[in-house]
Amino acid sequence: MNDLSSKSSGRNFLVLRTGDSPMVSRNLYHSVVAVALIALLAEASIAQDTSAAKPTRMKMTTEIPPGIVTPDDIETRLGDLSFFDGVPNDETVQKAYNFLDFQHAVQAYMDGTKIASMDAIRKGLLESGPANTTAVLFEDLMDSKALFLTANTTSVYMMAWLNMENEPMVIETPPDVLGFVNDHWFKYVTDFGRLGPDEGKGGKFLILPPGYEGEVPEGYFVARTNTYGNWVIWRGFQVDGSTKTAVDATKKSYRIYPLSKKDNPPEMNFVNVSGKSFNTIHRMDEHIFEEINEVVQAEPSMGESPEVLGHMAAIGIKKGQPFKPDARMKRILRAAAAAGGMSVKTIWAKPRDEMFYFYPGESNWMNPFPGGEYTWVLDGATLLDARAGFHFYATGITPAMAKKIIGKGSKYAYTYLDTDGNPLDGGKTYKVHLPPNVPAKDFWSFTLYDNQTRSMLQTDERFPGIDNNKPGMIKNSDGSYDVYFGPKAPEGQENNWVQTVPGKGWNTIFRLYGPLEPWYDKTWRPGEIELVEEGKKR
């Protein structure tokens, strides 16, 4: 029998056999989310077969301490497992390897979400033009037409794909931006702009390719990358509600070119994608493993940890080798993708670790960088679940996102839940109260996101968000604000309202631009999202 588990002692367990009909396969795929981890990862219930013959006692026989010897017959969630003095029979071997392959596949999914996400960004950018010579600009801001993980509605997003060979590449950056470079494994390379070494003045950055040992000329801000593909992203700022200053500065200054062409850089092609369909989101099903494989094949292994690559190698994703899972492995990958997808959604929407919560036990506002580390390494250990959840939900890795910087950059709080811990429902109306003196040097905002795409919620409005620069927004007499979310604006609150979609859930990020000390010391905190009106039942 070729399965992941079987029936035993009258109890039903998940069955995963090769040769099932398509209908059985579909039913399995949908049911595995609920039962796969329970069925496969639960502790074994061990019962020893007392009828087995005991080994002959010899002259050198001693008493073996408890816990070393295991029974030959074990009843588990994988089914009945049988051994001859520790050596498994053929049926047990198959169950064991199905189980191990499933475990590796789930971990490859969790660890590989970030890798697949970056590859999806690469593909989305290259639809607008070739690497290096194309810069994608949201000249009229990014709106909900774009499928892009948790972008905001206020920054002037601009980005490019840097593709290196064996020669250093130069990036000439514009002034007054927030920018950074992440590599193809979705790891931090460098900052530029307001929080970079150019201190917001713009400058020339020299990016050294993997393993580069050649000469490094003076006159550049130098950074080294471990991958040939790299994502370059920068955010400009509106001036008096206009994006023109930021866009013009980029078109005047921004360039990418090989160091050998520094005396005659090629022209850049600037493509405006505002208002256009634009997808940069990775797959959530079993095809995510194909996206991961593309990066493994394209990049030097030195850029990713051996442990992460080990899980991938165990399921057939190996550098220099074709990824061709057979029917059995394809079925396991479908199950693992369902289990991995269920896991990252749970980790991010309803974390169990108090580290995620800004005010544990009192609030559902959560921190996308629990522990305050952009690497997710805390006290020598990687926060694996937090890292997987973040890359499911968001993009962009830079120390500036996690560290305390007064009056510069931005800080984030997100939630999927109302004050009672219920999921936010697009058919209902909610209110959030912001006390006086919101600690933002520049401004604050809310942006709403679709729970499925993690992109801006697609409503009747182009921009599903609100910020305190909005004309006509009502500010209370004490300096506080009330913001409403729902399918229709409460009477008199049209300028303080963000539309939602009946029948869809949503989540939101509260952003502070130029965060001030009261945010960090928690002497100021946002109110909870409170239900105002039940709305129509679905």
Side-chain angles (χ1 to χ4, degrees):
M1 184 170 61
N2 191 8
D3 63 0
L4 278 182
S5 60
S6 64
K7 293 182 179 180
S8 178
S9 302
R11 292 179 291 177
N12 292 324
F13 301 101
L14 175 67
V15 178
L16 192 56
R17 301 188 185 93
T18 57
D20 282 340
S21 69
M23 180 60 72
V24 171
S25 297
R26 286 194 295 271
N27 290 342
L28 170 63
Y29 179 77
H30 291 297
S31 65
V32 73
V33 174
V35 301
L37 293 183
I38 297 173
L40 295 175
L41 303 180
E43 292 182 353
S45 173
I46 300 175
Q48 187 165 4
D49 183 357
T50 57
S51 63
K54 293 183 179 181
T56 302
R57 189 172 182 87
M58 309 298 285
K59 290 182 178 179
M60 298 299 294
T61 299
T62 63
E63 294 298 323
I64 305 300
I68 295 176
V69 175
T70 57
D72 279 348
D73 294 286
I74 307 173
E75 178 187 312
T76 77
R77 292 280 182 171
L78 306 181
D80 291 336
L81 307 181
S82 297
F83 301 79
F84 172 68
D85 203 24
V87 178
N89 65 17
D90 290 345
E91 184 177 340
T92 295
V93 167
Q94 187 61 64
K95 292 175 183 178
Y97 281 119
N98 284 338
F99 171 63
L100 286 171
D101 288 341
F102 178 80
Q103 279 191 307
H104 287 303
V106 171
Q107 196 57 55
Y109 186 106
M110 302 283 282
D111 290 337
T113 297
K114 64 187 181 74
I115 300 169
S117 181
M118 183 56 80
D119 203 52
I121 291 172
R122 177 186 67 85
K123 292 171 182 173
L125 291 176
L126 295 183
E127 287 183 0
S128 295
N132 300 338
T133 58
T134 306
V136 173
L137 276 54
F138 289 87
E139 295 188 22
D140 303 304
L141 303 178
M142 191 185 300
D143 59 31
S144 57
K145 283 281 188 180
L147 295 179
F148 193 100
L149 296 182
T150 52
N152 68 62
T153 59
T154 57
S155 297
V156 188
Y157 282 98
M158 297 172 274
M159 56 193 80
W161 189 256
L162 170 64
N163 192 49
M164 311 187 72
E165 294 184 358
N166 295 315
E167 178 182 356
M169 297 287 287
V170 179
I171 305 175
E172 294 188 16
T173 65
D176 197 29
V177 297
L178 280 173
F180 55 85
V181 181
N182 285 167
D183 73 15
H184 209 170
W185 299 114
F186 225 136
K187 295 184 179 181
Y188 172 74
V189 177
T190 189
D191 284 293
F192 60 89
R194 290 184 177 182
L195 299 177
D198 60 309
E199 298 180 337
K201 299 174 184 177
K204 294 182 180 181
F205 286 75
L206 187 66
I207 311 299
L208 306 181
Y212 181 76
E213 296 180 356
E215 182 181 352
V216 179
E218 296 182 353
Y220 297 91
F221 300 108
V222 179
R224 184 179 293 276
T225 178
N226 286 324
T227 59
Y228 294 109
N230 296 268
W231 180 38
V232 188
I233 177 171
W234 62 105
R235 290 180 290 168
F237 304 94
Q238 297 184 61
V239 178
D240 298 326
S242 172
T243 64
K244 188 176 186 304
T245 299
V247 171
D248 288 350
T250 280
K251 289 182 176 180
K252 179 181 178 181
S253 305
Y254 188 81
R255 299 288 184 273
I256 297 179
Y257 51 85
L259 180 62
S260 61
K261 295 185 178 181
K262 63 182 177 62
D263 295 327
N264 188 26
E267 291 294 318
M268 291 293 298
N269 181 30
F270 298 98
V271 180
N272 181 13
V273 294
S274 285
K276 298 179 181 179
S277 297
F278 184 83
N279 179 40
T280 61
I281 302 178
H282 62 86
R283 299 286 294 250
M284 291 292 292
D285 60 10
E286 66 272 20
H287 294 288
I288 192 174
F289 296 106
E290 297 165 12
E291 296 175 324
I292 295 168
N293 181 62
E294 290 185 29
V295 182
V296 170
Q297 301 306 326
E299 301 296 353
S301 298
M302 60 180 278
E304 189 50 273
S305 76
E307 286 76 15
V308 168
L309 294 177
H311 287 298
M312 295 168 185
I315 60 171
I317 299 175
K318 299 178 181 180
K319 179 116 179 129
Q321 297 185 22
F323 177 51
K324 292 183 177 180
D326 59 17
R328 179 192 72 92
M329 183 59 77
K330 285 181 179 178
R331 189 179 300 275
I332 290 174
L333 295 179
R334 285 196 296 272
M342 171 269 293
S343 298
V344 291
K345 291 175 182 177
T346 301
I347 289 164
W348 206 250
K350 293 188 175 182
R352 63 182 178 180
D353 194 325
E354 284 191 353
M355 192 182 300
F356 274 88
Y357 296 88
F358 280 108
Y359 316 97
E362 302 176 3
S363 171
N364 287 314
W365 287 112
M366 292 176 279
N367 181 2
F369 289 95
E373 294 292 339
Y374 78 99
T375 60
W376 289 281
V377 176
L378 190 65
D379 298 329
T382 300
L383 304 177
L384 297 171
D385 290 351
R387 184 180 67 187
F390 177 90
H391 284 288
F392 156 75
Y393 185 69
T395 62
I397 299 300
T398 166
M401 288 184 171
K403 69 169 62 171
K404 178 179 178 179
I405 306 175
I406 301 295
K408 292 183 180 181
S410 50
K411 282 292 171 279
Y412 315 84
Y414 79 96
T415 189
Y416 283 69
L417 310 173
D418 67 15
T419 189
D420 296 317
N422 298 315
L424 297 167
D425 185 333
K428 299 177 181 180
T429 300
Y430 302 86
K431 180 179 79 170
V432 62
H433 179 73
L434 298 180
N437 303 314
V438 180
K441 176 177 174 287
D442 300 321
F443 65 97
W444 56 262
S445 73
F446 288 97
T447 308
L448 272 56
Y449 301 100
D450 184 307
N451 289 346
Q452 294 287 357
T453 67
R454 294 92 71 205
S455 300
M456 293 183 196
L457 188 67
Q458 294 179 331
T459 69
D460 295 330
E461 303 295 326
R462 183 179 178 188
F463 301 107
I466 194 169
D467 63 79
N468 62 304
N469 290 324
K470 180 179 179 180
M473 190 174 193
I474 300 171
K475 186 176 184 179
N476 299 326
S477 59
D478 64 353
S480 65
Y481 292 89
D482 292 308
V483 176
Y484 294 83
F485 311 100
K488 293 182 179 180
E491 186 175 353
Q493 297 295 335
E494 290 80 4
N495 288 330
N496 288 45
W497 163 74
V498 186
Q499 189 178 36
T500 59
V501 182
K504 281 199 71 63
W506 56 277
N507 67 86
T508 188
I509 296 179
F510 174 58
R511 289 177 168 90
L512 296 169
Y513 293 90
L516 302 175
E517 185 63 40
W519 174 254
Y520 294 104
D521 65 20
K522 299 182 181 179
T523 56
W524 185 96
R525 60 186 275 187
E528 297 301 295
I529 298 178
E530 299 179 346
L531 183 64
V532 173
E533 181 182 309
E534 282 293 340
K536 295 181 180 179
K537 293 184 178 180
R538 297 181 186 177

